[in-house]
Amino acid sequence: MKIEQNDKQLLFSETVIPDMFFAEHLPQIPGDYLKIYLYLVFLSKFKKDAKINDLSKKLSLPVKAINDGIKYLEDNNLILKKTTGFIVVDLQEATLNNLYKPNLTQSKETIEQVSKNQSRAKAIEHINNMYFQGIMGPTWYNDIDLWFRKYNFDDQVMIALFDYCYKRSALHKNYVQAVAEAWGANKIQTWSDLDAYDLKQEKLKKLKSLIAKKLGKHNGLTQYEEAYIENWYLDFGYDINIIEIALKRTTYKQNPTFEYINNIIKDWHERSLKTPEQIESFLEQRKKQSKDLKEMKSQVSKANYEQRQYNNLDFLYANNNMNNDDK
């Protein structure tokens, strides 16, 4: 990228980073990519080309890391690709254009309704002061407004969303968006919805831990094994009282897999068995049927044996008669 030469000597020159970068991008940019960005901003003051190999050597980073970093910066609108290379984006100008660009899909009535919603405004102010020390980046306001409209969160849920991410040291947009999407998918709109969801997640966490302990998986469960348990609990509505019945049926099986356990539980669900009593009754009935079938096979086998014996005796008797006749 080529830019004009700075008149100041290097000793007295400065590289300015706008506050927009610290508010909007710093929390989520990976360390190596931050290193690349800062150096590109520095180079943007000088009329020189920034080549990939030169950047790799200068920053002591592999060429792949440089390429990945350039792509990340471009995807996040920190640099802009041109025919002759890249230029560093003016974050202040870009944010200003984004904030004040007319939204043709939003009606005047909707804009007025949002502006009059004092409760929502207080919630946003609380988020700004509590989690951003009063310096929340301007684009966060657009995102929060979008999440309000897209997921129909009430004020308490929106505050809880930021509190959840803040406590996990993940207060950047990609993570907040992912959590918001997950809550929206689980039909969370009110505080009572969120409370019920949290309770269910806590029970699920304890269930996973209990199952891992019963199966002797001291190193924890894999992602796929946890997915099985989530299916049993969330989709089938089965708790430990039912799941443990299935676990006990693996006692005499060598190295039982989660797929084996899942086949047992899935069969119960497909038969609309919903309580431990129904399942125990079904298992007892199937055990009786198996016993009856075994007895029936035994009787048939015995009858066949007796019939063969009778046939053999009859054959011997017939032979004896023939021998007597010959005499």
Side-chain angles (χ1 to χ4, degrees), residues 33 39 53 114 144 157 172 191 216 238 247 266 303 308:
Y33 301 169
Y39 193 64
N53 289 334
V114 171
I144 293 173
V157 171
H172 52 78
W191 180 259
Y238 288 168
L247 298 182
K266 185 179 178 182
R308 285 196 300 272

Side-chain angles (χ1 to χ4, degrees), residues 161 169 173 183 187 193 202 235 243 263 265 275 277 288 292 295 327:
L161 171 66
S169 302
K173 289 182 183 178
W183 288 7
K187 311 298 183 185
D193 294 337
E202 184 62 27
D235 298 333
I243 296 173
N263 288 336
I265 295 177
T275 67
E277 293 75 19
K288 184 178 181 302
D292 292 344
E295 290 180 353
K327 292 177 181 179

Side-chain angles (χ1 to χ4, degrees), residues 33-59:
Y33 301 169
L34 172 62
K35 192 175 179 180
I36 296 169
Y37 175 72
L38 293 178
Y39 193 64
L40 290 180
V41 173
F42 167 73
L43 289 180
S44 67
K45 299 187 303 177
F46 302 94
K47 192 177 181 180
K48 293 183 178 180
D49 291 332
K51 298 180 179 179
I52 299 298
N53 289 334
D54 292 340
L55 291 175
S56 174
K57 294 176 182 178
K58 191 69 176 180
L59 299 177

Side-chain angles (χ1 to χ4, degrees), residues 262-278:
N262 181 65
N263 288 336
I264 295 175
I265 295 177
K266 185 179 178 182
D267 178 65
W268 296 345
H269 175 69
E270 290 175 349
R271 295 176 185 272
S272 300
L273 304 176
K274 299 180 180 179
T275 67
E277 293 75 19
Q278 290 176 340

Side-chain angles (χ1 to χ4, degrees), residues 201-221 225-226 229-230 240 243 247 258:
Q201 291 300 310
E202 184 62 27
K203 288 183 178 179
L204 179 59
K205 181 179 178 182
K206 291 180 179 179
L207 180 63
K208 290 177 181 178
S209 177
L210 185 58
I211 291 175
K213 183 178 180 181
K214 288 181 178 294
L215 293 176
K217 292 183 172 291
H218 305 295
N219 294 327
L221 302 169
E225 291 170 341
E226 289 190 353
I229 298 174
E230 290 171 7
I240 189 61
I243 296 173
L247 298 182
F258 260 79

